[in-house]
């Protein structure tokens, strides 16, 4: 006998949106998340000792093109809380200096390469093949390659070009680029806090096995759950391991899919102790880090903050602090608060879309959904878009009120009760 109709494994935005849509559809659902907080890669580090000043340790920007996410936010009455991000420029960090982005541009090469934008197809090309042609090889090497590396927090050359910057329609009634008063983590928190939302944190799933028509799910804490349907919203290596027994063809379609580990150092300073100009962040060309994102988009009177993203396991914590402070012309002694966060992102490769097709073929007609940031692309909206289509495959089409077109807050009314 199933304890729940539906279990969701993973409480990042992919799993949270899966449980949210299931709640909307009235499907009795329990979400299991390994860590002690919702959000996964959406993680706003709050420093209580600094008047709750916060810095984004992961995802930092949502856009008015994030239609499915906006739909969920509308249902939770979050859209009225959005705050515009102030415009700041990214700088390059090269040879120990911060420089303007244009300093790395080869304008003549750009001029002769750019027309190819209208005749070259993205499909089937890697990022370096596609953008190397569209921008020119030198522009790719000196500017766009490092910029894209900083977007995906790892070498981007072999990424499928299709998974980068998919064009999505914009909503004119929503701020173009926005955050929330407590950072983007307000979104996962609000999803998990809604009435009828059933989640267990600190619960790592270790095994899925078949039980009759449904599934038995074992957790590291010794608990066991039974369900009729499952949504996996975990990184590809974990998905592969968990699918092995119950869906071997699906597991084999995603074998060897890589993961990039990222060590993120979050730093907060007294505004008065820093001389560095206000910036959106740094794109590192030759420093020990990949990129840095500042909190200057929402200036605080007293504090400034930065998240420096380093390739996983390359430097000690003390070395990371030194590298970050050097890039900010800051003294390590002036750090007022810090946090070390481990992030991870999928390492997508050129044959990625073929593997996803094989995975989807293996999942077709079954009772397992798989979602995450390794399908359409890594953005938050890519996650929610995949989740929604997987929800509809398992449970049928969502009503109009789930698309975000309804009045704010109206969608939770009827769908919130579990059955
Ligand atoms: C530094 C950084 C900056 C980014 N900036 C942006 C941005 O500005 N805008 C944007 O749109 N996107 C951004 N992204 C990308 C986006 O934030 C992520 O792709 C997205 O949040 C991933 O969500 P997810 O739920 O698919 O995966 P995750 O957030 O990785 O969540 C997976 C969850 O599964 C849990 N889990 C894993 N194994 C198990 C298990 N066995 N049992 C139970 N739970 C398990 C994990 O603890 C985790 O919480 C950024 C990402 C990073 C890392």
């Amino acid at each position: 006998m199933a304890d729940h109709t539906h279990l969701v494994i993973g409480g990042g935005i992919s799993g949270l949106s899966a449980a949210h849509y299931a709640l909307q559809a009235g499907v009795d659902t329990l979400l299991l998340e390994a860590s002690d907080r919702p959000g996964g890669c959406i993680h706003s580090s709050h420093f209580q000792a600094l008047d709750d000043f916060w810095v984004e340790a992961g995802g930092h920007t949502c856009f008015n093109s994030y239609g499915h996410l906006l739909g969920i936010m509308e249902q939770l009455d979050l859209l009225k809380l959005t705050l515009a991000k102030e415009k700041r420029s990214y700088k390059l960090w090269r040879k120990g200096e911060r420089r303007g982005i244009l300093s790395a541009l080869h304008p003549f090469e750009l001029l002769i390469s750019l027309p190819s934008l209208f005749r070259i197809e993205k499909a089937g090309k890697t990022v370096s093949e596609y953008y190397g042609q569209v921008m020119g090889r030198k522009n790719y090497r000196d500017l766009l390659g490092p910029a894209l590396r900083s977007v995906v927090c790892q070498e981007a050359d072999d990424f499928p070009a299709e998974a980068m910057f998919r064009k999505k329609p914009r909503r004119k009634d929503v701020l173009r680029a926005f955050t929330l008063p407590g950072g983007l983590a307000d979104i996962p928190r609000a999803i998990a806090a809604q009435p009828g939302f059933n989640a267990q944190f600190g619960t790592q799933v270790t095994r899925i096995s078949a039980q009759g028509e449904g599934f038995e799910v074992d957790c590291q804490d010794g608990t066991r759950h039974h369900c009729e349907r499952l949504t996996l919203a975990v990184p590809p290596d974990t998905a592969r391991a968990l699918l092995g027994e119950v869906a071997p063809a699906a597991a084999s379609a995603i074998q060897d899919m890589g993961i990039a580990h990222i060590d993120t150092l979050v730093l907060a300073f007294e505004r008065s102790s820093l001389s560095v100009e206000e910036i959106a962040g740094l794109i590192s060309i030759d420093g020990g880090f990949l990129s840095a994102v500042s909190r200057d988009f929402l200036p605080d009177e007293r504090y400034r903050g930065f998240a420096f993203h380093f390739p996983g396991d390359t430097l000690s914590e003390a070395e990371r602090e030194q590298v970050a402070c050097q890039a900010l012309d800051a003294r390590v002694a002036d750090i007022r608060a810090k946090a070390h966060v481990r992030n991870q992102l999928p390492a997508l490769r050129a044959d990625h879309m073929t593997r996803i097709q094989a995975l989807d073929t293996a999942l077709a007609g079954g009772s397992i959904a798989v979602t995450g940031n390794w399908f359409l692309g890594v953005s938050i909206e890519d996650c929610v878009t995949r989740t929604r289509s997987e929800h509809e495959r398992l449970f049928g089409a969502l009503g109009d009120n789930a698309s975000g077109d309804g009045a704010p807050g109206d969608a939770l009314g009827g769908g919130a009760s579990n059955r």
Side-chain angles (χ1 to χ4, degrees), residues 9-16 32-35 37-42 57-63 66 85 151 153 184 203-206 233-235 238 242 262 264 293 309 343-346 371-374 377-381 383:
I9 304 173
I13 193 63
S14 300
L16 290 165
L32 302 171
E33 161 58 41
S35 82
R37 60 166 185 89
C41 290
I42 303 179
H60 47 90
T61 311
C62 287
F63 297 94
Y66 285 13
K85 292 185 68 180
V151 169
C153 289
L184 290 188
T203 307
Q204 185 181 352
V205 171
T206 50
V234 291
T238 308
L242 292 177
I262 302 140
T264 297
V293 176
H309 305 297
N343 276 307
Q344 58 179 16
L345 282 172
T371 181
N373 56 0
W374 42 284
V378 301
S379 82
I380 293 167
E381 177 65 5
C383 297

Side-chain angles (χ1 to χ4, degrees), residues 164-206:
M164 206 69 91
F165 307 130
R166 286 182 320 109
K167 206 167 165 47
K168 311 168 185 100
R170 294 189 176 278
R171 266 182 66 169
K172 296 265 165 46
D173 60 326
V174 177
L175 293 165
R176 191 181 171 283
F178 65 83
T179 184
L180 285 154
L184 290 188
D186 284 355
I187 302 172
R189 268 198 297 271
I191 296 175
Q194 62 185 304
F197 195 96
N198 197 2
Q200 267 179 31
F201 296 95
T203 307
Q204 185 181 352
V205 171
T206 50

Side-chain angles (χ1 to χ4, degrees), residues 68-80:
H68 294 113
L69 180 79
L70 295 175
I72 294 177
M73 291 178 66
E74 199 153 42
Q75 289 153 7
L76 298 173
D77 235 359
L78 285 178
L79 282 187
K80 65 179 185 206

Side-chain angles (χ1 to χ4, degrees), residues 244-392:
E245 247 177 87
V246 286
S252 98
I254 54 172
Q255 68 184 345
D256 303 330
M257 233 181 237
I259 291 285
H261 294 281
I262 302 140
D263 287 320
T264 297
L265 170 64
V266 183
L267 296 176
F269 298 87
E270 289 276 353
R271 181 168 279 280
S272 56
S273 72
L274 288 184
S275 59
V276 59
E277 68 277 32
E278 293 216 335
I279 49 173
L282 295 171
I283 296 166
S284 172
I285 305 291
D286 53 9
F289 61 102
L290 297 159
S291 62
V293 176
S294 99
R295 162 61 206 269
D296 292 339
F297 59 75
L298 190 67
D300 180 83
E301 273 181 17
R302 182 145 183 214
Y303 301 108
R304 292 181 66 190
F306 303 84
F308 276 78
H309 305 297
F310 293 85
D313 305 312
T314 50
L315 298 175
S316 69
E317 290 187 2
E319 285 167 333
R320 278 182 237 143
E321 285 170 25
Q322 290 215 326
V323 168
C325 284
Q326 191 200 351
L328 296 172
D329 295 331
R331 295 182 330 146
V332 172
D334 285 333
I335 298 173
R336 286 295 313 277
K338 61 187 171 187
H340 294 273
V341 174
R342 183 83 156 167
N343 276 307
Q344 58 179 16
L345 282 172
L348 309 185
R349 291 296 168 256
D351 64 348
H352 188 71
M353 299 307 170
T354 316
R355 287 165 180 242
I356 294 304
Q357 271 170 12
L359 172 68
D360 284 345
T361 304
L363 294 173
S367 359
I368 302 178
V370 186
T371 181
N373 56 0
W374 42 284
F375 291 88
L376 303 166
V378 301
S379 82
I380 293 167
E381 177 65 5
D382 291 331
C383 297
V384 184
T385 303
R386 167 72 185 187
T387 296
R388 189 179 162 116
S389 69
E390 283 294 87
H391 170 92
E392 295 195 331

